[in-house]
Amino acid sequence: GLLSGPAVHPLTLAAVWDVHRAHPDVPLVGVGGIRTGADALATLAAGATAVQLGTVLLGDPSATARVTAELDEALVRHGFAAAADAVGAAHQTHHHGRNT
């Protein structure tokens, strides 16, 4: 069975979090379940250096522009000057509770 769309976003966040934590200097593309600017910001904050849209484009071919605009708004709202400033931010402010 194929699992895609919003159902995989928690898995994406966990995987990006874990890889970034183990290898913070490795560029990561977060893929899976990103439908909104908030999803994109959460993925960047988990450690992705970029995000990719997939399934959302099937139902909304203009999602790239919408998600980009939403991400820009979310970055400003959370005090980030640029998307690059958000990369890994959750590692600075949140204890994930996993053992290293």
Side-chain angles (χ1 to χ4, degrees):
L2 178 66
L3 182 63
S4 65
V8 299
H9 195 244
L11 301 173
T12 297
L13 292 176
V16 168
W17 178 279
D18 289 343
V19 173
H20 179 78
R21 186 167 143 195
H23 306 284
D25 296 328
V26 173
L28 300 172
V29 178
V31 179
I34 298 169
R35 298 171 295 142
T36 66
D39 293 341
L41 179 56
T43 306
L44 293 170
T49 51
V51 298
Q52 175 183 312
L53 303 182
T55 305
V56 69
L57 294 169
L58 297 174
D60 179 8
S62 65
T64 303
R66 178 183 53 76
V67 171
T68 300
E70 291 173 359
L71 174 59
D72 288 344
E73 292 170 7
L75 288 165
V76 169
R77 194 169 47 253
H78 291 282
F80 296 108
D85 298 332
V87 174
H91 292 264
Q92 317 314 299
T93 61
H94 183 272
H95 176 68
H96 195 267
R98 294 186 185 192
N99 295 326
T100 52

